[in-house]
Structures are given as C-alpha cells and as structure tokens.
Amino acid sequence: MSVDGGAGLLGRWSAILGAVKERRRFTWILLAQNATPTSFDESKLILQIASDSARDSFLNSGGIEILQQSVQAVTGYLPEVLLATHGSPVAESPSEATVESAMEAGEAVQQPVGSPLSPQMEKILAQTAFLMHEQGKSQAAALLLDVEGVELAPGNSFGDYEEAHLVVPPFLVPRFTDAMLESIAPVFERVAYRNGLEDVHGISVIPALPSIGSDWRQELQRRLAGGAVSNQAIRSRSRAVKPAIMRDGCVFDSLEEVRVYEALKRAQAVLPPDATISIFPLPAGRVGAGNTWTPDFLVARGGRVGIIEVDGPQHSGRRAADSTRDRHWRNSGIVHIERILVEETSDDAELDKLVQVFLKRLREH
C-alpha cells in the first residue's frame, strides 16, 4: 500500500514528528529543522536533509532507529530510511561493515569535522556572548567569539536532555576551564530555552577535528619529516584550515592577546624608525633550567628583551609557579616580565598606558 505524495504525506510526517518528539527531543529537533520528506511508502522513506552536518548528526546519534520506531507507531510500517542532501545522491546510514571494508581496502574514511553554526545556534551563541559581556564577564564573551560550531548530543543514554558541545580550535581548549564553563552554562541554557531549545542542559568544549583527504598518510609523513619548527608554525599547521585568530601572519590564542598585539603595534608606529621595537607573539623558547616555554609576547628594544604575559583568572592560583617561571626567564637573559590581566585589555587607552609602562621599564633595565 503506497502512502506517497501530497497532503497525506505531510499529514503523516507531522504525526511522525510528534512520535519522534516523545522518544527523543534531540532527534526531533534535527528532523524538524533540517528534514523534508520527499517519498514514503510501506518499504521506503526518503528524506531531503538540509546539510551534510545535519545528516551526520542524525546518523551518529542513532536517529535512524528512533525515526523507524516512530514511523511504525504511526503507520504500522517499518520502512527503510534513505537520506539525501542537496546535490548529493540518496544514501543509507553507513554500516560498521562498510567502514571496516573501506579501511581494509586502504581508503580514507571521511569523518564529520563538527557542525557549523545554524542561524538559530548562531543567534543563541551571539546572545549568550553579549549577555556575558553585559554581566562584566568579558573573558567568557571573548572566548565565545572563537567557537566554530555547536554540536547537540544526548546528555544521557535515555535522551532526556541535550548537552551542547562547543567546537573550538584545539589550542584554545585549555582556556575553557571548568570554572569558565560553569560561568557560561546557565546563561547559554536560558538563551537556548528562549530560542526554542528547551532541553539543553550543560555545556562542554571539544576540539575541532582537522579536515583530511585521501592522502592524509602522505601529508602526515611530510609534516613529521619536517623536523622541529617554531611555535607559530606548529599552531599554523596544526589544522588543515586557516587558524581562527590571525593577524599579520601570526597566530594568537585569544582576542585578549590580539588586543595587546595591537597596542604594541600602536607603540611601534610612533617610535622613531631607527629606535623602534620588535614584537614576537607566542614564540617557543628554551630557558637555562632546561624547560621549553611559550611566552605570550617577546619584545625587543634597544638591545634589551622583555616578555608580556596575558593572564586569565586561572593564574590567580598559580602565583608561586608564575614567580618561579619569571625567575628562570630573568636568569636566562630576559630583563623584564610584565603580566597584564585579561580584564585590563578591554579599554584601549588603559592598555596603551600599560604597554608604555612596560616599554619604559624595558628601556631602563
């Protein structure tokens, strides 16, 4: 018995979505926002999916089984579910056997690299960032600017709620501390609720996955054979896509560091050409004690070298360790170390004053 076409299909789809919602809200959200049925009979259901990332999220979260159960509950049929994205042929969910056979044949299996931000999630992220800023939590707001995607995943095995995974460049993951996530979570959850995502509870941070091609083995071998490279090169080449924060060909860990860099450039611009400064963001350096560390900035002026560190809240409990590190820097030729708090980077005029004090102390040492 065919149930294909017309208003009957749309009417059944609405009922099917209702059954999906009762089983798992996460699957319902994915289907309601991204799926359009194009053909349906007792043996086959074909869905047009808005994007590859939505299709991958649906498949990887067990959406096929939830949908089939819902179709059976509404229609009495248990159809095969086929998915198609715009411009791509209809495809089934890849089975484990398919993946294993591809790997045995030496083929590269492309895995999803994270879900790009949908318009709805872009709005949620933006409103969360602005609210954090208005609450005086500028560091949290700045970190949210670096979020490349948000993946919703079942929060437990029953699918009672969803957890939001913030996708960020790998080198920024450590900056999303437990305390920072605890600060962001309640704001993000309230904003998500007011935007129609009622079951988002909790957030975490995950690294963005690198884009890979069929020649990934050869590419990795080339990189491994390249030997030791500078810290900037490591960060620039750690992902196949362009790093999230770059200025003048240099990579930065955060927008606070970019603001300090711009302040140093403003100071550099007004100094005489024959007595100016050199600025090195995030260089790797080995000190006499045998450690290899990465200061946020190394600055040279008049034959003297100093360091600027941009410190976040996590440094409040590391003063002893920071003092020890500063002592090793000084014992290894660094004449002055200046620590600037992230809270001091939001006002350009105040930041310019701090940079001028640093340069004055560097010149006097």
PDB file of all heavy atoms in Angstrom, residues 256-270 277 279 297 308 340 345 347-356 359:
ATOM      1  N   GLU A 256      42.127  38.618  23.604  1.00  0.00           N
ATOM      2  CA  GLU A 256      42.867  39.480  24.528  1.00  0.00           C
ATOM      3  C   GLU A 256      44.312  39.647  24.058  1.00  0.00           C
ATOM      4  O   GLU A 256      44.879  40.749  24.126  1.00  0.00           O
ATOM      5  CB  GLU A 256      42.843  38.896  25.941  1.00  0.00           C
ATOM      6  CG  GLU A 256      41.464  38.907  26.592  1.00  0.00           C
ATOM      7  CD  GLU A 256      40.709  37.615  26.369  1.00  0.00           C
ATOM      8  OE1 GLU A 256      41.132  36.814  25.520  1.00  0.00           O
ATOM      9  OE2 GLU A 256      39.699  37.415  27.059  1.00  0.00           O
ATOM     10  N   GLU A 257      44.903  38.558  23.568  1.00  0.00           N
ATOM     11  CA  GLU A 257      46.267  38.654  23.045  1.00  0.00           C
ATOM     12  C   GLU A 257      46.311  39.537  21.804  1.00  0.00           C
ATOM     13  O   GLU A 257      47.269  40.292  21.600  1.00  0.00           O
ATOM     14  CB  GLU A 257      46.796  37.257  22.719  1.00  0.00           C
ATOM     15  CG  GLU A 257      47.068  36.412  23.948  1.00  0.00           C
ATOM     16  CD  GLU A 257      47.493  35.003  23.596  1.00  0.00           C
ATOM     17  OE1 GLU A 257      47.632  34.708  22.386  1.00  0.00           O
ATOM     18  OE2 GLU A 257      47.700  34.189  24.513  1.00  0.00           O
ATOM     19  N   VAL A 258      45.285  39.463  20.979  1.00  0.00           N
ATOM     20  CA  VAL A 258      45.231  40.324  19.795  1.00  0.00           C
ATOM     21  C   VAL A 258      45.200  41.791  20.215  1.00  0.00           C
ATOM     22  O   VAL A 258      45.867  42.638  19.605  1.00  0.00           O
ATOM     23  CB  VAL A 258      44.002  39.976  18.931  1.00  0.00           C
ATOM     24  CG1 VAL A 258      43.835  40.988  17.798  1.00  0.00           C
ATOM     25  CG2 VAL A 258      44.125  38.576  18.356  1.00  0.00           C
ATOM     26  N   ARG A 259      44.443  42.105  21.257  1.00  0.00           N
ATOM     27  CA  ARG A 259      44.358  43.493  21.715  1.00  0.00           C
ATOM     28  C   ARG A 259      45.708  43.994  22.222  1.00  0.00           C
ATOM     29  O   ARG A 259      46.099  45.131  21.969  1.00  0.00           O
ATOM     30  CB  ARG A 259      43.292  43.615  22.802  1.00  0.00           C
ATOM     31  CG  ARG A 259      41.883  43.314  22.309  1.00  0.00           C
ATOM     32  CD  ARG A 259      40.841  43.634  23.371  1.00  0.00           C
ATOM     33  NE  ARG A 259      39.517  43.216  22.929  1.00  0.00           N
ATOM     34  CZ  ARG A 259      38.875  42.145  23.371  1.00  0.00           C
ATOM     35  NH1 ARG A 259      39.444  41.373  24.301  1.00  0.00           N
ATOM     36  NH2 ARG A 259      37.673  41.822  22.925  1.00  0.00           N
ATOM     37  N   VAL A 260      46.436  43.134  22.933  1.00  0.00           N
ATOM     38  CA  VAL A 260      47.777  43.526  23.385  1.00  0.00           C
ATOM     39  C   VAL A 260      48.704  43.717  22.180  1.00  0.00           C
ATOM     40  O   VAL A 260      49.502  44.655  22.130  1.00  0.00           O
ATOM     41  CB  VAL A 260      48.353  42.470  24.353  1.00  0.00           C
ATOM     42  CG1 VAL A 260      49.805  42.798  24.710  1.00  0.00           C
ATOM     43  CG2 VAL A 260      47.508  42.400  25.620  1.00  0.00           C
ATOM     44  N   TYR A 261      48.582  42.835  21.204  1.00  0.00           N
ATOM     45  CA  TYR A 261      49.386  42.949  19.977  1.00  0.00           C
ATOM     46  C   TYR A 261      49.110  44.267  19.268  1.00  0.00           C
ATOM     47  O   TYR A 261      50.044  44.966  18.833  1.00  0.00           O
ATOM     48  CB  TYR A 261      49.075  41.773  19.062  1.00  0.00           C
ATOM     49  CG  TYR A 261      49.780  41.807  17.721  1.00  0.00           C
ATOM     50  CD1 TYR A 261      51.160  41.706  17.637  1.00  0.00           C
ATOM     51  CD2 TYR A 261      49.048  41.933  16.548  1.00  0.00           C
ATOM     52  CE1 TYR A 261      51.804  41.738  16.400  1.00  0.00           C
ATOM     53  CE2 TYR A 261      49.675  41.954  15.311  1.00  0.00           C
ATOM     54  CZ  TYR A 261      51.052  41.861  15.243  1.00  0.00           C
ATOM     55  OH  TYR A 261      51.685  41.884  14.022  1.00  0.00           O
ATOM     56  N   GLU A 262      47.844  44.652  19.160  1.00  0.00           N
ATOM     57  CA  GLU A 262      47.503  45.914  18.508  1.00  0.00           C
ATOM     58  C   GLU A 262      48.050  47.102  19.295  1.00  0.00           C
ATOM     59  O   GLU A 262      48.489  48.096  18.711  1.00  0.00           O
ATOM     60  CB  GLU A 262      45.980  46.025  18.356  1.00  0.00           C
ATOM     61  CG  GLU A 262      45.348  44.980  17.444  1.00  0.00           C
ATOM     62  CD  GLU A 262      45.807  45.112  16.001  1.00  0.00           C
ATOM     63  OE1 GLU A 262      46.285  46.190  15.624  1.00  0.00           O
ATOM     64  OE2 GLU A 262      45.692  44.119  15.251  1.00  0.00           O
ATOM     65  N   ALA A 263      48.031  47.006  20.631  1.00  0.00           N
ATOM     66  CA  ALA A 263      48.600  48.081  21.448  1.00  0.00           C
ATOM     67  C   ALA A 263      50.109  48.193  21.229  1.00  0.00           C
ATOM     68  O   ALA A 263      50.660  49.298  21.142  1.00  0.00           O
ATOM     69  CB  ALA A 263      48.280  47.838  22.919  1.00  0.00           C
ATOM     70  N   LEU A 264      50.790  47.055  21.139  1.00  0.00           N
ATOM     71  CA  LEU A 264      52.224  47.069  20.856  1.00  0.00           C
ATOM     72  C   LEU A 264      52.500  47.654  19.470  1.00  0.00           C
ATOM     73  O   LEU A 264      53.478  48.391  19.273  1.00  0.00           O
ATOM     74  CB  LEU A 264      52.791  45.657  20.960  1.00  0.00           C
ATOM     75  CG  LEU A 264      52.957  45.099  22.375  1.00  0.00           C
ATOM     76  CD1 LEU A 264      53.213  43.595  22.344  1.00  0.00           C
ATOM     77  CD2 LEU A 264      54.093  45.820  23.108  1.00  0.00           C
ATOM     78  N   LYS A 265      51.647  47.353  18.504  1.00  0.00           N
ATOM     79  CA  LYS A 265      51.812  47.911  17.158  1.00  0.00           C
ATOM     80  C   LYS A 265      51.606  49.419  17.169  1.00  0.00           C
ATOM     81  O   LYS A 265      52.327  50.162  16.470  1.00  0.00           O
ATOM     82  CB  LYS A 265      50.820  47.265  16.187  1.00  0.00           C
ATOM     83  CG  LYS A 265      51.208  45.864  15.752  1.00  0.00           C
ATOM     84  CD  LYS A 265      50.137  45.239  14.878  1.00  0.00           C
ATOM     85  CE  LYS A 265      49.895  46.035  13.612  1.00  0.00           C
ATOM     86  NZ  LYS A 265      48.870  45.383  12.758  1.00  0.00           N
ATOM     87  N   ARG A 266      50.666  49.898  17.970  1.00  0.00           N
ATOM     88  CA  ARG A 266      50.461  51.355  18.070  1.00  0.00           C
ATOM     89  C   ARG A 266      51.695  52.022  18.663  1.00  0.00           C
ATOM     90  O   ARG A 266      52.115  53.102  18.210  1.00  0.00           O
ATOM     91  CB  ARG A 266      49.224  51.662  18.911  1.00  0.00           C
ATOM     92  CG  ARG A 266      47.908  51.286  18.234  1.00  0.00           C
ATOM     93  CD  ARG A 266      46.710  51.887  18.966  1.00  0.00           C
ATOM     94  NE  ARG A 266      46.490  51.298  20.274  1.00  0.00           N
ATOM     95  CZ  ARG A 266      45.724  50.234  20.493  1.00  0.00           C
ATOM     96  NH1 ARG A 266      45.129  49.618  19.469  1.00  0.00           N
ATOM     97  NH2 ARG A 266      45.535  49.780  21.715  1.00  0.00           N
ATOM     98  N   ALA A 267      52.279  51.374  19.666  1.00  0.00           N
ATOM     99  CA  ALA A 267      53.515  51.926  20.248  1.00  0.00           C
ATOM    100  C   ALA A 267      54.655  51.881  19.244  1.00  0.00           C
ATOM    101  O   ALA A 267      55.459  52.814  19.144  1.00  0.00           O
ATOM    102  CB  ALA A 267      53.876  51.148  21.510  1.00  0.00           C
ATOM    103  N   GLN A 268      54.739  50.795  18.499  1.00  0.00           N
ATOM    104  CA  GLN A 268      55.783  50.636  17.487  1.00  0.00           C
ATOM    105  C   GLN A 268      55.684  51.712  16.417  1.00  0.00           C
ATOM    106  O   GLN A 268      56.693  52.234  15.931  1.00  0.00           O
ATOM    107  CB  GLN A 268      55.657  49.252  16.855  1.00  0.00           C
ATOM    108  CG  GLN A 268      56.759  48.855  15.892  1.00  0.00           C
ATOM    109  CD  GLN A 268      56.469  47.491  15.264  1.00  0.00           C
ATOM    110  OE1 GLN A 268      55.403  47.286  14.676  1.00  0.00           O
ATOM    111  NE2 GLN A 268      57.398  46.551  15.407  1.00  0.00           N
ATOM    112  N   ALA A 269      54.460  52.077  16.048  1.00  0.00           N
ATOM    113  CA  ALA A 269      54.244  53.016  14.946  1.00  0.00           C
ATOM    114  C   ALA A 269      54.709  54.431  15.269  1.00  0.00           C
ATOM    115  O   ALA A 269      55.084  55.185  14.358  1.00  0.00           O
ATOM    116  CB  ALA A 269      52.766  53.028  14.561  1.00  0.00           C
ATOM    117  N   VAL A 270      54.696  54.802  16.557  1.00  0.00           N
ATOM    118  CA  VAL A 270      55.049  56.188  16.904  1.00  0.00           C
ATOM    119  C   VAL A 270      56.515  56.335  17.304  1.00  0.00           C
ATOM    120  O   VAL A 270      56.984  57.456  17.501  1.00  0.00           O
ATOM    121  CB  VAL A 270      54.144  56.700  18.044  1.00  0.00           C
ATOM    122  CG1 VAL A 270      52.683  56.694  17.607  1.00  0.00           C
ATOM    123  CG2 VAL A 270      54.329  55.872  19.312  1.00  0.00           C
ATOM    124  N   ILE A 277      60.721  48.944  18.113  1.00  0.00           N
ATOM    125  CA  ILE A 277      60.697  47.655  18.814  1.00  0.00           C
ATOM    126  C   ILE A 277      60.366  46.532  17.838  1.00  0.00           C
ATOM    127  O   ILE A 277      59.812  46.759  16.762  1.00  0.00           O
ATOM    128  CB  ILE A 277      59.652  47.649  19.959  1.00  0.00           C
ATOM    129  CG1 ILE A 277      58.235  47.884  19.403  1.00  0.00           C
ATOM    130  CG2 ILE A 277      60.006  48.686  21.015  1.00  0.00           C
ATOM    131  CD1 ILE A 277      57.133  47.756  20.440  1.00  0.00           C
ATOM    132  N   ILE A 279      58.311  42.763  17.775  1.00  0.00           N
ATOM    133  CA  ILE A 279      57.239  42.073  18.503  1.00  0.00           C
ATOM    134  C   ILE A 279      57.174  40.629  18.012  1.00  0.00           C
ATOM    135  O   ILE A 279      57.033  40.380  16.818  1.00  0.00           O
ATOM    136  CB  ILE A 279      55.877  42.752  18.269  1.00  0.00           C
ATOM    137  CG1 ILE A 279      55.973  44.254  18.518  1.00  0.00           C
ATOM    138  CG2 ILE A 279      54.800  42.114  19.148  1.00  0.00           C
ATOM    139  CD1 ILE A 279      54.776  45.029  17.974  1.00  0.00           C
ATOM    140  N   PHE A 297      54.170  37.157  24.524  1.00  0.00           N
ATOM    141  CA  PHE A 297      54.884  38.096  23.657  1.00  0.00           C
ATOM    142  C   PHE A 297      56.333  38.231  24.124  1.00  0.00           C
ATOM    143  O   PHE A 297      56.602  38.328  25.321  1.00  0.00           O
ATOM    144  CB  PHE A 297      54.246  39.500  23.697  1.00  0.00           C
ATOM    145  CG  PHE A 297      52.864  39.554  23.131  1.00  0.00           C
ATOM    146  CD1 PHE A 297      51.762  39.423  23.971  1.00  0.00           C
ATOM    147  CD2 PHE A 297      52.655  39.719  21.769  1.00  0.00           C
ATOM    148  CE1 PHE A 297      50.480  39.458  23.457  1.00  0.00           C
ATOM    149  CE2 PHE A 297      51.374  39.754  21.244  1.00  0.00           C
ATOM    150  CZ  PHE A 297      50.285  39.618  22.089  1.00  0.00           C
ATOM    151  N   ILE A 308      55.813  39.867  27.771  1.00  0.00           N
ATOM    152  CA  ILE A 308      54.484  40.209  28.265  1.00  0.00           C
ATOM    153  C   ILE A 308      53.653  38.936  28.309  1.00  0.00           C
ATOM    154  O   ILE A 308      53.573  38.198  27.323  1.00  0.00           O
ATOM    155  CB  ILE A 308      53.785  41.248  27.363  1.00  0.00           C
ATOM    156  CG1 ILE A 308      54.515  42.591  27.421  1.00  0.00           C
ATOM    157  CG2 ILE A 308      52.325  41.435  27.784  1.00  0.00           C
ATOM    158  CD1 ILE A 308      53.891  43.663  26.529  1.00  0.00           C
ATOM    159  N   ILE A 340      49.902  41.239  32.308  1.00  0.00           N
ATOM    160  CA  ILE A 340      48.703  42.047  32.097  1.00  0.00           C
ATOM    161  C   ILE A 340      47.486  41.153  32.282  1.00  0.00           C
ATOM    162  O   ILE A 340      47.391  40.083  31.687  1.00  0.00           O
ATOM    163  CB  ILE A 340      48.698  42.663  30.679  1.00  0.00           C
ATOM    164  CG1 ILE A 340      49.878  43.639  30.529  1.00  0.00           C
ATOM    165  CG2 ILE A 340      47.378  43.368  30.388  1.00  0.00           C
ATOM    166  CD1 ILE A 340      49.998  44.244  29.142  1.00  0.00           C
ATOM    167  N   THR A 345      42.522  44.453  29.272  1.00  0.00           N
ATOM    168  CA  THR A 345      42.685  44.549  27.824  1.00  0.00           C
ATOM    169  C   THR A 345      41.460  45.107  27.119  1.00  0.00           C
ATOM    170  O   THR A 345      41.476  45.296  25.907  1.00  0.00           O
ATOM    171  CB  THR A 345      43.000  43.166  27.223  1.00  0.00           C
ATOM    172  OG1 THR A 345      41.869  42.292  27.411  1.00  0.00           O
ATOM    173  CG2 THR A 345      44.227  42.551  27.870  1.00  0.00           C
ATOM    174  N   ASP A 347      39.922  48.078  27.492  1.00  0.00           N
ATOM    175  CA  ASP A 347      39.974  49.518  27.223  1.00  0.00           C
ATOM    176  C   ASP A 347      41.295  49.857  26.538  1.00  0.00           C
ATOM    177  O   ASP A 347      42.366  49.698  27.132  1.00  0.00           O
ATOM    178  CB  ASP A 347      39.835  50.300  28.541  1.00  0.00           C
ATOM    179  CG  ASP A 347      39.741  51.800  28.316  1.00  0.00           C
ATOM    180  OD1 ASP A 347      40.778  52.420  27.982  1.00  0.00           O
ATOM    181  OD2 ASP A 347      38.633  52.342  28.477  1.00  0.00           O
ATOM    182  N   ASP A 348      41.233  50.329  25.293  1.00  0.00           N
ATOM    183  CA  ASP A 348      42.449  50.591  24.520  1.00  0.00           C
ATOM    184  C   ASP A 348      43.342  51.625  25.187  1.00  0.00           C
ATOM    185  O   ASP A 348      44.572  51.484  25.207  1.00  0.00           O
ATOM    186  CB  ASP A 348      42.088  51.058  23.104  1.00  0.00           C
ATOM    187  CG  ASP A 348      41.594  49.926  22.235  1.00  0.00           C
ATOM    188  OD1 ASP A 348      41.731  48.753  22.647  1.00  0.00           O
ATOM    189  OD2 ASP A 348      41.059  50.202  21.139  1.00  0.00           O
ATOM    190  N   ALA A 349      42.745  52.691  25.745  1.00  0.00           N
ATOM    191  CA  ALA A 349      43.544  53.759  26.355  1.00  0.00           C
ATOM    192  C   ALA A 349      44.322  53.230  27.556  1.00  0.00           C
ATOM    193  O   ALA A 349      45.522  53.520  27.713  1.00  0.00           O
ATOM    194  CB  ALA A 349      42.635  54.919  26.765  1.00  0.00           C
ATOM    195  N   GLU A 350      43.650  52.451  28.406  1.00  0.00           N
ATOM    196  CA  GLU A 350      44.325  51.881  29.569  1.00  0.00           C
ATOM    197  C   GLU A 350      45.390  50.875  29.146  1.00  0.00           C
ATOM    198  O   GLU A 350      46.480  50.812  29.736  1.00  0.00           O
ATOM    199  CB  GLU A 350      43.312  51.214  30.498  1.00  0.00           C
ATOM    200  CG  GLU A 350      42.373  52.182  31.194  1.00  0.00           C
ATOM    201  CD  GLU A 350      43.126  53.185  32.058  1.00  0.00           C
ATOM    202  OE1 GLU A 350      44.085  52.773  32.754  1.00  0.00           O
ATOM    203  OE2 GLU A 350      42.773  54.372  32.027  1.00  0.00           O
ATOM    204  N   LEU A 351      45.081  50.096  28.107  1.00  0.00           N
ATOM    205  CA  LEU A 351      46.044  49.114  27.629  1.00  0.00           C
ATOM    206  C   LEU A 351      47.276  49.804  27.053  1.00  0.00           C
ATOM    207  O   LEU A 351      48.416  49.350  27.261  1.00  0.00           O
ATOM    208  CB  LEU A 351      45.387  48.220  26.579  1.00  0.00           C
ATOM    209  CG  LEU A 351      46.214  47.039  26.059  1.00  0.00           C
ATOM    210  CD1 LEU A 351      46.702  46.160  27.197  1.00  0.00           C
ATOM    211  CD2 LEU A 351      45.391  46.218  25.078  1.00  0.00           C
ATOM    212  N   ASP A 352      47.074  50.908  26.344  1.00  0.00           N
ATOM    213  CA  ASP A 352      48.215  51.669  25.805  1.00  0.00           C
ATOM    214  C   ASP A 352      49.115  52.164  26.935  1.00  0.00           C
ATOM    215  O   ASP A 352      50.353  52.161  26.805  1.00  0.00           O
ATOM    216  CB  ASP A 352      47.714  52.844  24.970  1.00  0.00           C
ATOM    217  CG  ASP A 352      47.155  52.409  23.623  1.00  0.00           C
ATOM    218  OD1 ASP A 352      47.495  51.295  23.173  1.00  0.00           O
ATOM    219  OD2 ASP A 352      46.376  53.181  23.022  1.00  0.00           O
ATOM    220  N   LYS A 353      48.519  52.577  28.044  1.00  0.00           N
ATOM    221  CA  LYS A 353      49.312  53.030  29.188  1.00  0.00           C
ATOM    222  C   LYS A 353      50.157  51.887  29.750  1.00  0.00           C
ATOM    223  O   LYS A 353      51.340  52.079  30.090  1.00  0.00           O
ATOM    224  CB  LYS A 353      48.395  53.588  30.270  1.00  0.00           C
ATOM    225  CG  LYS A 353      47.716  54.897  29.913  1.00  0.00           C
ATOM    226  CD  LYS A 353      46.810  55.356  31.051  1.00  0.00           C
ATOM    227  CE  LYS A 353      46.074  56.632  30.688  1.00  0.00           C
ATOM    228  NZ  LYS A 353      45.147  57.062  31.774  1.00  0.00           N
ATOM    229  N   LEU A 354      49.551  50.698  29.868  1.00  0.00           N
ATOM    230  CA  LEU A 354      50.299  49.549  30.387  1.00  0.00           C
ATOM    231  C   LEU A 354      51.463  49.183  29.475  1.00  0.00           C
ATOM    232  O   LEU A 354      52.559  48.848  29.941  1.00  0.00           O
ATOM    233  CB  LEU A 354      49.358  48.346  30.530  1.00  0.00           C
ATOM    234  CG  LEU A 354      48.274  48.444  31.615  1.00  0.00           C
ATOM    235  CD1 LEU A 354      47.329  47.255  31.522  1.00  0.00           C
ATOM    236  CD2 LEU A 354      48.906  48.513  33.001  1.00  0.00           C
ATOM    237  N   VAL A 355      51.246  49.262  28.167  1.00  0.00           N
ATOM    238  CA  VAL A 355      52.317  48.962  27.214  1.00  0.00           C
ATOM    239  C   VAL A 355      53.430  50.006  27.327  1.00  0.00           C
ATOM    240  O   VAL A 355      54.626  49.659  27.280  1.00  0.00           O
ATOM    241  CB  VAL A 355      51.753  48.895  25.778  1.00  0.00           C
ATOM    242  CG1 VAL A 355      52.884  48.901  24.754  1.00  0.00           C
ATOM    243  CG2 VAL A 355      50.893  47.651  25.609  1.00  0.00           C
ATOM    244  N   GLN A 356      53.070  51.264  27.493  1.00  0.00           N
ATOM    245  CA  GLN A 356      54.081  52.309  27.639  1.00  0.00           C
ATOM    246  C   GLN A 356      54.910  52.107  28.906  1.00  0.00           C
ATOM    247  O   GLN A 356      56.134  52.312  28.907  1.00  0.00           O
ATOM    248  CB  GLN A 356      53.415  53.700  27.651  1.00  0.00           C
ATOM    249  CG  GLN A 356      52.832  54.138  26.323  1.00  0.00           C
ATOM    250  CD  GLN A 356      53.876  54.227  25.227  1.00  0.00           C
ATOM    251  OE1 GLN A 356      55.042  54.565  25.478  1.00  0.00           O
ATOM    252  NE2 GLN A 356      53.461  53.912  23.997  1.00  0.00           N
ATOM    253  N   LEU A 359      57.387  49.292  28.167  1.00  0.00           N
ATOM    254  CA  LEU A 359      58.494  49.725  27.319  1.00  0.00           C
ATOM    255  C   LEU A 359      59.447  50.644  28.084  1.00  0.00           C
ATOM    256  O   LEU A 359      60.664  50.579  27.868  1.00  0.00           O
ATOM    257  CB  LEU A 359      57.954  50.444  26.073  1.00  0.00           C
ATOM    258  CG  LEU A 359      57.147  49.553  25.106  1.00  0.00           C
ATOM    259  CD1 LEU A 359      56.603  50.376  23.944  1.00  0.00           C
ATOM    260  CD2 LEU A 359      58.006  48.404  24.571  1.00  0.00           C
TER     261      LEU A 359
END
